[in-house]
Amino acid sequence: MKKNGEKGQPVVRLRSMLIGLGVLVVSIAGPLALVWKQSYINQASIRLEYRADTLAALNREITALNLERTRLESTPRIERVARTRGFEYPAPGQIVVVEVKTPRRRDEGWTAGFLSRVRQSLSGKSG
């Protein structure tokens, strides 16, 4: 025959085993979460440093290209290259000045167009 005290022991033992298992899981998962967090931070830092190095290299390349562009677009260099290829400045009689009238802008708003027409009608000028 079982006594009243023996009936509760397996349940208490199961509860304490579950509590122990929970404590074990938390004691393992806590440090693992901290290690994962630190690993993530380190990886993000490495990616950030890589991008910063790439950005610095690109900035150096931009500076070098700007210097090269400045050197290539200098007027004395262009004149020197043109002379080596047989180009000469045109004689004064060869220069022709062409006047170009710029067309009126038609993309004005309707109020600006209306006011322009009123101004023209009042001044008597046709445009």
Side-chain angles (χ1 to χ4, degrees), residues 61-77:
E61 186 176 348
I62 288 170
T63 303
L65 289 173
N66 281 332
L67 288 172
E68 182 73 9
R69 182 199 52 149
T70 303
R71 184 186 70 78
L72 291 174
E73 74 181 3
S74 69
T75 304
R77 181 196 166 274

Side-chain angles (χ1 to χ4, degrees), residues 31-46:
L32 283 178
L34 292 176
V35 168
W36 175 81
K37 176 184 164 192
Q38 189 62 40
S39 172
Y40 180 80
I41 290 171
N42 288 342
Q43 289 173 359
S45 175
I46 289 169

Side-chain angles (χ1 to χ4, degrees), residues 93-105:
Q94 292 177 324
I95 298 175
V96 177
V97 178
V98 179
E99 275 191 51
V100 177
K101 282 189 172 183
T102 56
R104 274 186 76 176
R105 292 182 55 178

